[in-house]
Each structure stands twice: as structure tokens, then as C-alpha cells.
């Protein structure tokens, strides 16, 4: 006689209790966004009460999810193709929008080919885990702050791996020198690190890759649409795009829709397409999403995108300077991400809750395991649509709550 699964329920309850006791239990906020009014939204509380809020933590960095041309393209796609894609790409899930979008992405990154995935997480996990099947005895060198999807992909590759200290070129060099010269090598890193907002020393990493005959795998998810004259990312801005072997990106942040992709040489992309289970066995992105992403990318490659990126950088710097002037512990960076160090999970959540309930300011606490314990923070992502008045209200609210919670008021 089989035992009741209820006897195992205690394990789940204990796991949840441990998370709660550490102050890192996460609560989803029921947010209702309004087309054309970003960053304004409303929140429905558990008692049914509706509250108007300003969203400060969206990864729709440029507000392209609200762009009228993107929305119109999606309407036309659903009216023409219907809702779903019809299956995996290998069976029936390829449409004209998928083909055109992959061509656009390859062109954006100056590569021969591109391949769509259902998310940025899947594109990293599927591609990195497949590299070891293609290159026996490969060694992957991974920055210690790489995203969880990259870490998971490298684990699933079951190959040799080396973790180098964040942006530490001397450590990376030492690891490369210590391995056999003839072993295939891949250096995996990000351009913009999403929790700290800092940037990889990309040219220097490419120099090391060439010196040690290593491939480069670059995650640009927090940079595509945001940097470079066409929005292709930091590699384009820093003129090293031709030195990147595989570029990985997302359609879900600056492009405002959903999905992930890689761009590279045709042979590399085709091998991943033919061998990665995460691609082969996944239903393809809905045509409506592909249509919206295609329109968004094309707009952000134009003068419209260049102007929007300029305004966005100005807004990010404006908020950063206001927080510095208020002597709040800003974690310094030169990108569009503005983190504020709290350093305690319970007070980080209390800060977030008070901002929401008392001031109508929505920003989620960032706790472990997203960031190391002791570095809990609020992560602000100002957009071109955030006004200076909104920033002043945010800073005033932060100062009031900061003192109530007894937090240190000093620069990070």
C-alpha cells in the first residue's frame, strides 16, 4: 500500500518556515498597469482595496511594452495568425514573424544567424549546457556574478568550469594560464550586471580570449536596446561586437515583450538549434510576441531609439545624483540601474512595504539568493517616463522611512 503524500508535507512547510525566518519570503504584488500611462499603475491589496502607485522596479526599461507601434503590430499579428504558435519549431511552430525576427536580431548584433528561445533564462541554460556536447573537454570560465541561468547551464554542461572573481582580469588570466593550452575554452560573462549595475571590462576580456584562443559568451540581456548607436548593447558601444563569439539577449526588458535569443556564426547557431533540448522540445514563441519584438527592435535601431536612450541615461543619472545628495547609500555604477544598499532582509522588506502602503511607491526588495546575504537592496530602474517630481517624492519618502528603520545614512 502506497503511503500518503501528505506525510511529506512537513518538508515543504519547514522549507517555507526557514525562508520566512530569514526574512526573505517573497510576496507577489497584484499590479494593474494602464496602457499609455507607464509608470503609473494600481495595486490590489489582499483586502480588495485598490491603490494608485508609481512603478520603480520594472525591467521594461524604456517603456516599449507601452509603445503604440509595438501594440499595433501585436494586434495585427494576433488578427492574422491567431494566438498560439502551433508547436515546436521542428514540427509546426515556425512562422514568418519568427524568421524575420531572427534575421533582425542577427543584423542587430552583426552576426550571421540568430536563434529564438522562449526566455532569456532558457537561451542561457540551453546554449551553455549544449556547448560541452559539441566541444568535448571544454572548460568554461564564468564570472562569479553571472546570472542564475548561466550558472545552471554551466552545471548542466557537466564540463570543467572555473569561477573567476567578478571582473577580475588577473584572476581570469591565472585560471587560463593554469589549464592546458590545447583545451577548448569559453569565457562566459555579462555586459551589465543587473543587481550592481556595473559593466564588464569587455575589451580586456576579449584580449584575454584571443591570447588564450578562447571563445567568448556574452550575456547582454540588461544592455540590448539600451547601449550602442542601434541599441545592440555594450559590445556595440565599445566596438568589440566582432570579437564576441556568441551573444545572448532578451526580448523581455528594453524591447518590452518576451523571449530570449542567441546570435553567432551560422554553424554555431545551427548546432545549438539541432542539439539543445531546451530549444528542440519547447513550443515556440507566440507569433504575437515575435511581431511586437520585431517592431520594437526596429524602432530602437532608429533615431527614435537613439533619442530615447539619451533621455533614459539622463533620467538614471538624475535619480542617482538626487540619492547621493540625500546621503543615501547608493551603490555606484554608470548604467541605468540604481541600487540602494540596505544590508538586512527584514528591514529591506519593511522599507519596500512602507513605500508601497504609505507612499504609493512600488519597488520590490532584492534579497538572497538573488544577491548575497548582507547586501540586500532596493533596485530602482528609472525610465524615460519617470519625472523629476516623481524622483523628488521618492527621495523624500526614502528619507522619512530610513530614519524610522534606523538604517545607516551614508554613501555605499
Amino acid at each position: 500500500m502506497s503511503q500518503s503524500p501528505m506525510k511529506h508535507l512537513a518538508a515543504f512547510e519547514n522549507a517555507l518556515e526557514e525562508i520566512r525566518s530569514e526574512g526573505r519570503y517573497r510576496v507577489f504584488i497584484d499590479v494593474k498597469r494602464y496602457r499609455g500611462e507607464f509608470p503609473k499603475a494600481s495595486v490590489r491589496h489582499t483586502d480588495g482595496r485598490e491603490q494608485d502607485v508609481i512603478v520603480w522596479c520594472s525591467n521594461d526599461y524604456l517603456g516599449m511594452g507601452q509603445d503604440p507601434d509595438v501594440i499595433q503590430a501585436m494586434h495585427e499579428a494576433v488578427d492574422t495568425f491567431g494566438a498560439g504558435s502551433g508547436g515546436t519549431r521542428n514540427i509546426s511552430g515556425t512562422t514568418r514573424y519568427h524568421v524575420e525576427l531572427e534575421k533582425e536580431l542577427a543584423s542587430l548584433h552583426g552576426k550571421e544567424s540568430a536563434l529564438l528561445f522562449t526566455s532569456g533564462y532558457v537561451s542561457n541554460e540551453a546554449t551553455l549546457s549544449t556547448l560541452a556536447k559539441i566541444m568535448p573537454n571544454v572548460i568554461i570560465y564564468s564570472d562569479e556574478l553571472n546570472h542564475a541561468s548561466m550558472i545552471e547551464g554551466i552545471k548542466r554542461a557537466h564540463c570543467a568550469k572555473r569561477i573567476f572573481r567578478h571582473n577580475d582580469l588577473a584572476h581570469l588570466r591565472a585560471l587560463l594560464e593554469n589549464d592546458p593550452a590545447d583545451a577548448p575554452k569559453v569565457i562566459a560573462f555579462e555586459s551589465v550586471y543587473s543587481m550592481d549595475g556595473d559593466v564588464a571590462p569587455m575589451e580586456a576580456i576579449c584580449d584575454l580570449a584571443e591570447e588564450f584562443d578562447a571563445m567568448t559568451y556574452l550575456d547582454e540581456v540588461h544592455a540590448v536596446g539600451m547601449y550602442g548607436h542601434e541599441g545592440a548593447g555594450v559590445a556595440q558601444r565599445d566596438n568589440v561586437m566582432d570579437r564576441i563569439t556568441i551573444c545572448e539577449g532578451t526580448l523581455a526588458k528594453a524591447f518590452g515583450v518576451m523571449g530570449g535569443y542567441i546570435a553567432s556564426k551560422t554553424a554555431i547557431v545551427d548546432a545549438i538549434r539541432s542539439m539543445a533540448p531546451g530549444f528542440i522540445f519547447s513550443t515556440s514563441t507566440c507569433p504575437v510576441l515575435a511581431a511586437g519584438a520585431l517592431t520594437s527592435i526596429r524602432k530602437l535601431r532608429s533615431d527614435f531609439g537613439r533619442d530615447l536612450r539619451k533621455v533614459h541615461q539622463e533620467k538614471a543619472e538624475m535619480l542617482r545624483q538626487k540619492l547621493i545628495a540625500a546621503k543615501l547609500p547608493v551603490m555606484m555604477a554608470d548604467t541605468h540601474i540604481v541600487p540602494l544598499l540596505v544590508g538586512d532582509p527584514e528591514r529591506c522588506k519593511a522599507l519596500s512595504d512602507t513605500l508601497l502602503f504609505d507612499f504609493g511607491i512600488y519597488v520590490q526588495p532584492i534579497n538572497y539568493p538573488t544577491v548575497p546575504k548582507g547586501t540586500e537592496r532596493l533596485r530602482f530602474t528609472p525610465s524615460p517616463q519617470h519625472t523629476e517630481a516623481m524622483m523628488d517624492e521618492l527621495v523624500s519618502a526614502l528619507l522619512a522611512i530610513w530614519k524610522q528603520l534606523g538604517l545607516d545614512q551614508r554613501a555605499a
Side-chain angles (χ1 to χ4, degrees):
M1 180 177 178
S2 63
Q3 294 180 331
S4 168
M6 296 305 292
K7 68 169 291 186
H8 303 295
L9 189 59
F12 296 89
E13 292 171 341
N14 291 338
L16 287 171
E17 181 55 36
E18 182 178 350
I19 292 171
R20 288 191 180 98
S21 68
E22 293 177 359
R24 58 186 182 91
Y25 181 75
R26 303 187 184 203
V27 178
F28 293 154
I29 306 298
D30 184 352
V31 181
K32 183 178 181 181
R33 296 173 175 86
Y34 299 100
R35 174 180 169 180
E37 296 185 28
F38 182 80
K40 296 180 180 179
S42 66
V43 166
R44 178 185 294 170
H45 297 288
T46 53
D47 60 4
R49 180 173 60 93
E50 294 274 346
Q51 179 187 15
D52 291 335
V53 299
I54 301 297
V55 178
W56 278 100
C57 54
S58 174
N59 281 347
D60 185 1
Y61 293 132
L62 300 174
M64 291 303 289
Q66 302 283 318
D67 183 84
D69 293 328
V70 172
I71 293 170
Q72 180 60 33
M74 296 176 80
H75 276 300
E76 292 174 1
V78 78
D79 288 341
T80 303
F81 285 86
S85 64
T88 66
R89 294 285 295 278
N90 288 318
I91 298 176
S92 58
T94 297
T95 70
R96 187 175 306 162
Y97 283 121
H98 294 94
V99 174
E100 290 301 313
L101 178 53
E102 286 175 339
K103 288 180 180 178
E104 191 73 25
L105 288 166
S107 172
L108 175 69
H109 291 286
K111 303 300 183 188
E112 293 175 356
S113 297
L115 185 66
L116 287 172
F117 293 85
T118 51
S119 73
Y121 188 104
V122 174
S123 55
N124 269 332
E125 190 278 332
T127 303
L128 286 165
S129 65
T130 304
L131 291 181
K133 298 179 185 177
I134 299 168
M135 297 186 294
N137 303 314
V138 67
I139 304 170
I140 300 180
Y141 303 80
S142 176
D143 188 289
E144 67 177 343
L145 293 189
N146 277 343
H147 190 262
S149 57
M150 300 176 75
I151 295 169
E152 187 63 22
I154 294 167
K155 284 181 180 177
R156 289 180 177 272
H158 300 295
C159 64
K161 66 178 183 291
R162 312 283 184 256
I163 310 301
F164 62 93
R165 291 186 292 270
H166 179 53
N167 283 347
D168 190 331
L169 297 172
H171 189 210
L172 175 57
R173 170 180 285 279
L175 293 172
L176 288 163
E177 288 176 338
N178 196 49
D179 284 318
D182 59 349
K185 301 175 177 67
V186 177
I187 302 173
F189 62 105
E190 300 184 39
S191 56
V192 176
Y193 287 85
S194 62
M195 290 300 117
D196 293 350
D198 59 341
V199 179
M202 199 170 301
E203 185 174 6
I205 290 176
C206 289
D207 288 343
L208 280 175
E210 290 176 7
E211 181 180 346
F212 289 92
D213 195 23
M215 294 171 58
T216 48
Y217 183 98
L218 173 63
D219 178 315
E220 286 258 42
V221 297
H222 291 276
V224 289
M226 310 293 297
Y227 300 93
H229 65 279
E230 291 182 297
V234 176
Q236 184 179 65
R237 185 197 70 180
D238 292 355
N239 296 313
V240 296
M241 196 125 67
D242 60 327
R243 304 173 72 186
I244 301 299
T245 312
I246 302 174
C247 182
E248 184 270 346
T250 186
L251 306 171
K253 293 182 171 59
F255 294 133
V257 193
M258 183 178 176
Y261 64 88
I262 60 168
S264 187
K265 294 279 190 184
T266 297
I268 292 174
V269 171
D270 205 14
I272 299 297
R273 180 188 69 86
S274 301
M275 298 180 66
F279 174 82
I280 295 170
F281 299 105
S282 290
T283 296
S284 66
T285 300
C286 293
V288 62
L289 297 176
L294 181 60
T295 298
S296 181
I297 293 166
R298 286 173 173 168
K299 285 198 74 170
L300 290 179
R301 295 184 77 177
S302 70
D303 288 341
F304 168 85
R306 284 182 275 278
D307 292 340
L308 193 62
R309 283 188 286 277
K310 182 175 183 293
V311 172
H312 186 232
Q313 290 296 323
E314 291 170 352
K315 292 292 182 71
E317 187 57 27
M318 180 184 293
L319 177 61
R320 186 178 288 109
Q321 291 304 320
K322 286 180 180 292
L323 293 170
I324 292 171
K327 297 183 179 179
L328 288 165
V330 185
M331 301 173 69
M332 297 305 296
D334 295 324
T335 63
H336 58 284
I337 295 167
V338 185
L340 194 63
L341 182 66
V342 179
D344 176 86
E346 292 184 357
R347 288 193 285 185
C348 193
K349 175 121 183 10
L351 181 57
S352 171
D353 287 346
T354 307
L355 283 170
L356 178 63
F357 290 106
D358 294 354
F359 295 92
I361 292 170
Y362 174 44
V363 56
Q364 282 281 28
I366 307 295
N367 294 335
Y368 177 84
T370 305
V371 296
K373 292 179 180 180
T375 69
E376 293 81 7
R377 67 200 67 177
L378 298 182
R379 174 183 175 271
F380 297 100
T381 53
S383 73
Q385 294 79 22
H386 284 88
T387 66
E388 185 171 4
M390 291 175 183
M391 295 182 193
D392 289 337
E393 291 171 3
L394 170 64
V395 173
S396 295
L398 282 168
L399 285 172
I401 308 168
W402 213 263
K403 293 176 182 177
Q404 290 175 9
L405 294 176
L407 290 164
D408 292 335
Q409 194 170 324
R410 62 176 184 269

